[in-house]
């Protein structure tokens, strides 16, 4: 099954830019989706198809995907952005949906 | 507004069975694939199973194939997950979610399954 690697943690000061990566073999050929999960809550979709934002998600959230790395970028980080973030793809070969291990974003 | 509400989570013994349900409202249920995702305590998200809108196609993670069965009743707008042969490692919060285009747009609040003797 397809494997994606995320850094366990990322820290950023308020107002700065957070970058969360998701590495995978030729992940640039896949569509990557991102979820935000705050403690005790269900996940929320924040980016789909690499860079599209669902309605209600701030423009501060953006995504990109190329070659072996997909990236979630959060600009002008706020305290409320502190959460776990997961990347996810559909692996056509296995028909499996796959999540990365997750990254905890800490706002300093 | 899309609403998904899971139920059926409980304390169960190893080797036992449970049936989880997910009641859906606020969208055309039969037009959407659905999925189950679980999260063990303190761990990350794990995709478990998916089913097409009409129910004719089903998919399973390797870790649950042969023990879990996903199904749906479109007339009752309800998604199911039947779990048998429960193991300690099945202990988790189980979420249902809409599945369209390979991503999960809307999620329920989850139901807790605890496997322990």
């Amino acid at each position: 099954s397809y494997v994606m690697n995320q850094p366990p943690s990322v820290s950023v000061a308020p107002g700065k830019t957070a970058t969360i990566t998701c590495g995978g073999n030729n992940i640039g050929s896949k569509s990557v989706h991102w979820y935000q999960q705050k403690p005790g809550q269900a996940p929320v979709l924040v980016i789909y198809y690499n860079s599209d934002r669902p309605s209600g998600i701030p423009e501060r959230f953006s995504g990109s995907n190329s070659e072996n790395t997909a990236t979630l970028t959060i600009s002008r980080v706020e305290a409320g952005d502190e959460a776990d973030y997961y990347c996810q793809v559909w692996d056509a070969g296995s028909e499996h949906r796959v999540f990365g291990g997750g990254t905890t974003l800490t706002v300093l | 507004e899309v609403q998904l509400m899971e139920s059926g989570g409980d304390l169960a013994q190893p080797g036992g069975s449970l049936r989880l349900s997910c009641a859906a409202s606020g969208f055309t249920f039969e037009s959407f694939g659905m999925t189950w995702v679980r999260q063990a305590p303190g761990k990350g998200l794990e995709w478990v199973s998916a089913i097409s809108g009409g129910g004719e196609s089903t998919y399973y993670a390797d870790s649950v194939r042969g023990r879990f069965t996903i199904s749906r009743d479109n007339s009752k707008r309800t998604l199911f997950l039947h779990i048998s042969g429960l193991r300690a490692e099945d202990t988790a919060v189980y979420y249902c979610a809409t599945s369209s285009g390979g991503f999960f747009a809307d999620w329920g609040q989850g139901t807790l399954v605890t496997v322990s003797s």
Side-chain angles (χ1 to χ4, degrees):
Chain A
S1 191
Y2 191 74
V3 175
M4 296 181 294
N5 297 304
Q6 297 183 236
S9 62
V10 168
S11 299
V12 63
K16 300 299 185 182
T17 298
T19 300
I20 298 173
T21 59
C22 177
N25 184 35
N26 198 27
I27 198 171
S29 67
K30 302 180 182 299
S31 291
V32 178
H33 319 294
W34 292 91
Y35 304 85
Q36 174 194 70
Q37 186 182 32
K38 297 181 180 180
Q41 297 184 20
V44 172
L45 178 71
V46 294
I47 293 289
Y48 62 102
Y49 292 150
N50 300 319
S51 59
D52 289 343
R53 271 188 320 277
S55 60
I57 300 301
E59 292 183 5
R60 300 185 298 104
F61 288 79
S62 63
S64 63
N65 185 17
S66 179
E67 297 185 350
N68 295 312
T69 304
T71 303
L72 174 68
T73 302
I74 309 172
S75 305
R76 302 181 300 282
V77 167
E78 304 173 355
D81 298 330
E82 197 163 87
D84 292 329
Y85 291 85
Y86 297 88
C87 57
Q88 178 255 317
V89 300
W90 175 59
D91 179 29
S94 63
E95 292 275 14
H96 289 180
R97 289 68 169 161
V98 183
F99 286 98
T103 298
T104 298
L105 176 66
T106 300
V107 181
L108 300 171
Chain B
E1 178 193 5
V2 173
Q3 291 195 352
L4 299 169
M5 183 170 295
E6 302 92 338
S7 61
D10 204 348
L11 172 64
Q13 292 196 342
S17 299
L18 281 176
R19 189 180 78 162
L20 308 183
S21 300
C22 170
S25 62
F27 65 104
T28 306
F29 183 64
E30 62 269 24
S31 296
F32 283 79
M34 297 292 294
T35 202
W36 289 96
V37 174
R38 69 183 179 182
Q39 186 170 36
K43 302 296 184 182
L45 301 175
E46 179 188 15
W47 173 75
V48 171
S49 183
I51 188 168
S52 59
E56 63 278 0
S57 298
T58 57
Y59 311 92
Y60 297 94
D62 293 343
S63 59
V64 306
R65 184 176 290 111
R67 297 190 301 121
F68 287 22
T69 302
I70 191 171
S71 62
R72 63 192 297 161
D73 184 337
N74 286 346
S75 68
K76 296 182 179 178
R77 304 173 61 83
T78 304
L79 173 73
F80 301 102
L81 186 68
H82 186 262
I83 308 173
S84 62
L86 279 162
R87 304 169 179 171
E89 54 265 35
D90 295 323
T91 294
V93 174
Y94 286 73
Y95 296 100
C96 66
T98 57
S99 179
S100 176
F103 59 91
F104 313 132
D106 299 284
W107 297 65
Q109 285 304 303
T111 188
L112 176 62
V113 172
T114 304
V115 183
S116 175
S117 55

